Amino acid sequence: MAQRLQTMFSPGVISIEKKPNGKRVAKVESARYDSGSRNVFREDDLKDLVQISRVPDHFIFTVESVGALKPDVLFLEAVKVLKNKCNLYMDALLKNQS
């Protein structure tokens, strides 16, 4: 069952750990590689053994650059733009309250 469960997810998501008693147990190795497939819930013998949930305030994203800026610089510049837009929005809200 552990091996079947492993095949239901993207490579790298589930690893199989061998216990001292010889039993093999599936373990989440890296949830980051999960593509969001829910194929495991189609399997009657596995669907009740798996719980998939999300952490509400946890985000994973990738920054790619094909231009002159490196990804880390591009990210910092994007944060500055976002901060300016938030300040502009907050100023507009405060003006409408008065």
Side-chain angles (χ1 to χ4, degrees):
M1 288 176 77
Q3 192 167 359
R4 279 192 43 241
L5 181 67
Q6 186 180 42
T7 64
M8 300 284 164
F9 291 89
S10 299
V13 175
I14 304 292
S15 65
I16 297 178
E17 192 175 279
K18 193 170 184 180
K19 297 291 183 178
N21 62 3
K23 191 174 184 179
R24 296 167 50 178
V25 178
K27 172 184 156 191
V28 176
E29 184 70 30
S30 180
R32 183 178 185 146
Y33 299 125
D34 185 26
S35 63
S37 171
R38 301 295 180 252
N39 289 336
V40 68
F41 296 115
R42 295 180 182 163
E43 303 294 324
D44 289 332
D45 61 333
L46 294 176
K47 67 181 178 183
D48 294 329
L49 303 175
V50 175
Q51 178 183 354
I52 297 177
S53 61
R54 296 180 187 262
V55 178
D57 60 350
H58 182 83
F59 302 94
I60 297 174
F61 59 95
T62 303
V63 178
E64 295 181 16
S65 176
V66 293
L69 297 177
K70 293 182 179 181
D72 55 336
V73 175
L74 187 62
F75 173 76
L76 292 175
E77 291 301 316
V79 169
K80 288 177 191 175
V81 170
L82 183 60
K83 182 179 176 183
N84 289 336
K85 287 183 178 187
C86 288
N87 287 334
L88 186 67
Y89 182 69
M90 291 301 294
D91 290 344
L93 284 175
L94 292 174
K95 283 181 186 176
N96 285 337
Q97 282 183 345
S98 1

